[in-house]
Amino acid sequence: MIIKKKSNTIFKISELYNKYLKRKKKKDLILIIGSGKFIWEYYLKKKISKSCKIYSIDKENFEKKNEKKNFIKIDIFSSEFFNRISKIIINKVDIIICDVCCKTTGIKEKDSLFFLKLFKILKKTILNFLSFGGILVFKYLNKCNIDKNFTKLKEKFNFVKFVKLNSSKTHSSEFYAIFSHLKCI
């Protein structure tokens, strides 16, 4: 993929990588949920190593010819989600990145329920697929009630940080949660 014009997404990915995702390993196994048009993959392969293996999940079909075996077209809210990815992802992954766009209605209760559903899926994904010492990064909206949901998850990691990236637009309610160094579950 050739990116001619740097989008705001590239700046966000760069900032997240430089602050939280730099690792000594060159053969990371990475799972990206909500991969979009492979911008995360393009950037991480360039920065980490072409030898890192990246699994991409999205409900839209953005697969590239050379990425077919590592792309899983499925909606994470589908009842088949865990069955499908369990057949493809055999080893635990080192990094899980969730860049799923949250649906927003402007009604705090509805938005919080959607986020809670997404959060439950992420929790199950972490327990089943994230390796000891692994990292989870995911996007959330400030409007969602996150405090209650994150309490138990925080206990499973050595480092937790909630950040609004410098590269985010000032009026954006988009934040990222970084959970690093998963403890032995």
Side-chain angles (χ1 to χ4, degrees), residues 25-30 41 44-54 70:
K25 281 175 81 174
K26 293 292 179 191
K27 292 189 178 184
D28 275 322
L29 198 53
I30 301 168
E41 291 84 339
L44 292 173
K45 282 215 179 233
K46 193 174 175 185
K47 286 292 185 180
I48 296 175
S49 167
K50 290 197 186 285
S51 64
C52 71
K53 187 169 188 174
I54 299 175
N70 297 337

Short mmCIF file of all heavy atoms in Angstrom, two decimals, residues 25-30 41 44-54 70:
data_model
loop_
_atom_site.label_atom_id
_atom_site.label_comp_id
_atom_site.label_asym_id
_atom_site.label_seq_id
_atom_site.Cartn_x
_atom_site.Cartn_y
_atom_site.Cartn_z
N LYS A 25 11.42 -6.99 20.15
CA LYS A 25 11.13 -8.14 19.29
C LYS A 25 10.91 -7.71 17.85
O LYS A 25 10.31 -6.69 17.59
CB LYS A 25 9.85 -8.85 19.77
CG LYS A 25 10.05 -9.76 20.95
CD LYS A 25 8.73 -10.30 21.43
CE LYS A 25 8.29 -11.47 20.60
NZ LYS A 25 7.09 -12.12 21.14
N LYS A 26 11.41 -8.50 16.94
CA LYS A 26 11.22 -8.22 15.53
C LYS A 26 10.20 -9.17 14.90
O LYS A 26 9.87 -9.04 13.75
CB LYS A 26 12.55 -8.33 14.77
CG LYS A 26 13.54 -7.25 15.17
CD LYS A 26 13.08 -5.90 14.73
CE LYS A 26 14.05 -4.82 15.14
NZ LYS A 26 13.52 -3.50 14.97
N LYS A 27 9.75 -10.16 15.65
CA LYS A 27 8.81 -11.13 15.10
C LYS A 27 7.52 -11.16 15.91
O LYS A 27 7.00 -12.19 16.26
CB LYS A 27 9.45 -12.52 15.07
CG LYS A 27 10.57 -12.61 14.09
CD LYS A 27 11.05 -14.01 13.91
CE LYS A 27 12.15 -14.02 12.87
NZ LYS A 27 12.61 -15.34 12.55
N ASP A 28 7.01 -9.99 16.21
CA ASP A 28 5.75 -9.89 16.93
C ASP A 28 4.61 -10.51 16.14
O ASP A 28 4.61 -10.51 14.91
CB ASP A 28 5.39 -8.42 17.20
CG ASP A 28 6.05 -7.87 18.45
OD1 ASP A 28 6.15 -8.62 19.43
OD2 ASP A 28 6.45 -6.70 18.44
N LEU A 29 3.67 -11.04 16.87
CA LEU A 29 2.42 -11.54 16.31
C LEU A 29 1.37 -10.52 16.74
O LEU A 29 1.21 -10.26 17.93
CB LEU A 29 2.13 -12.92 16.88
CG LEU A 29 1.14 -13.82 16.18
CD1 LEU A 29 1.48 -13.97 14.70
CD2 LEU A 29 1.11 -15.18 16.84
N ILE A 30 0.70 -9.91 15.78
CA ILE A 30 -0.18 -8.78 16.06
C ILE A 30 -1.59 -9.05 15.53
O ILE A 30 -1.75 -9.57 14.42
CB ILE A 30 0.37 -7.49 15.42
CG1 ILE A 30 1.78 -7.20 15.97
CG2 ILE A 30 -0.56 -6.30 15.66
CD1 ILE A 30 2.54 -6.13 15.21
N GLU A 41 -1.33 -1.96 9.44
CA GLU A 41 -0.43 -3.01 8.97
C GLU A 41 0.76 -2.42 8.23
O GLU A 41 1.90 -2.80 8.45
CB GLU A 41 -1.17 -3.99 8.04
CG GLU A 41 -2.19 -4.84 8.73
CD GLU A 41 -3.53 -4.15 8.91
OE1 GLU A 41 -3.61 -2.89 8.87
OE2 GLU A 41 -4.51 -4.85 9.13
N LEU A 44 3.08 -0.63 10.82
CA LEU A 44 3.77 -1.54 11.74
C LEU A 44 4.80 -2.41 11.03
O LEU A 44 5.89 -2.64 11.55
CB LEU A 44 2.77 -2.40 12.51
CG LEU A 44 1.90 -1.63 13.50
CD1 LEU A 44 0.83 -2.54 14.09
CD2 LEU A 44 2.73 -0.99 14.60
N LYS A 45 4.47 -2.89 9.85
CA LYS A 45 5.45 -3.70 9.11
C LYS A 45 6.67 -2.86 8.74
O LYS A 45 7.79 -3.34 8.74
CB LYS A 45 4.82 -4.30 7.85
CG LYS A 45 3.96 -5.49 8.16
CD LYS A 45 4.05 -6.51 7.08
CE LYS A 45 3.20 -7.69 7.44
NZ LYS A 45 3.89 -8.92 7.40
N LYS A 46 6.44 -1.60 8.45
CA LYS A 46 7.54 -0.70 8.10
C LYS A 46 8.41 -0.42 9.33
O LYS A 46 9.63 -0.38 9.24
CB LYS A 46 6.94 0.60 7.55
CG LYS A 46 7.90 1.50 6.87
CD LYS A 46 7.15 2.68 6.25
CE LYS A 46 8.13 3.66 5.68
NZ LYS A 46 7.50 4.85 5.17
N LYS A 47 7.78 -0.22 10.49
CA LYS A 47 8.51 0.16 11.70
C LYS A 47 9.10 -1.03 12.46
O LYS A 47 10.22 -0.97 12.94
CB LYS A 47 7.60 0.94 12.66
CG LYS A 47 7.32 2.35 12.22
CD LYS A 47 8.59 3.17 12.30
CE LYS A 47 8.34 4.61 11.97
NZ LYS A 47 9.49 5.43 12.05
N ILE A 48 8.32 -2.09 12.61
CA ILE A 48 8.79 -3.23 13.42
C ILE A 48 9.69 -4.11 12.56
O ILE A 48 10.87 -4.22 12.79
CB ILE A 48 7.61 -4.04 13.99
CG1 ILE A 48 6.81 -3.17 14.97
CG2 ILE A 48 8.11 -5.29 14.70
CD1 ILE A 48 5.56 -3.82 15.50
N SER A 49 9.08 -4.73 11.59
CA SER A 49 9.83 -5.64 10.73
C SER A 49 8.85 -6.27 9.75
O SER A 49 7.70 -6.51 10.10
CB SER A 49 10.49 -6.72 11.57
OG SER A 49 10.97 -7.74 10.76
N LYS A 50 9.33 -6.55 8.57
CA LYS A 50 8.46 -7.24 7.62
C LYS A 50 8.20 -8.67 8.08
O LYS A 50 7.26 -9.31 7.64
CB LYS A 50 9.09 -7.23 6.23
CG LYS A 50 9.11 -5.85 5.62
CD LYS A 50 9.34 -5.91 4.13
CE LYS A 50 9.50 -4.54 3.53
NZ LYS A 50 8.31 -3.79 3.38
N SER A 51 9.00 -9.16 9.03
CA SER A 51 8.83 -10.53 9.50
C SER A 51 7.77 -10.65 10.61
O SER A 51 7.45 -11.75 11.02
CB SER A 51 10.16 -11.11 9.97
OG SER A 51 10.62 -10.38 11.09
N CYS A 52 7.24 -9.52 11.09
CA CYS A 52 6.18 -9.63 12.08
C CYS A 52 4.92 -10.12 11.34
O CYS A 52 4.73 -9.83 10.17
CB CYS A 52 5.91 -8.31 12.81
SG CYS A 52 5.14 -7.02 11.84
N LYS A 53 4.13 -10.91 12.02
CA LYS A 53 2.92 -11.45 11.39
C LYS A 53 1.73 -10.69 11.93
O LYS A 53 1.57 -10.55 13.14
CB LYS A 53 2.78 -12.94 11.69
CG LYS A 53 1.66 -13.59 10.94
CD LYS A 53 1.72 -15.09 11.05
CE LYS A 53 0.70 -15.73 10.12
NZ LYS A 53 0.84 -17.18 10.11
N ILE A 54 0.91 -10.20 11.02
CA ILE A 54 -0.24 -9.38 11.42
C ILE A 54 -1.52 -10.03 10.91
O ILE A 54 -1.65 -10.33 9.72
CB ILE A 54 -0.12 -7.95 10.85
CG1 ILE A 54 1.14 -7.27 11.41
CG2 ILE A 54 -1.37 -7.14 11.18
CD1 ILE A 54 1.43 -5.91 10.82
N ASN A 70 -4.06 -13.73 6.08
CA ASN A 70 -4.04 -13.08 7.39
C ASN A 70 -5.18 -12.09 7.59
O ASN A 70 -5.22 -11.39 8.58
CB ASN A 70 -2.71 -12.36 7.61
CG ASN A 70 -1.55 -13.34 7.63
OD1 ASN A 70 -1.73 -14.52 7.90
ND2 ASN A 70 -0.38 -12.86 7.32
#
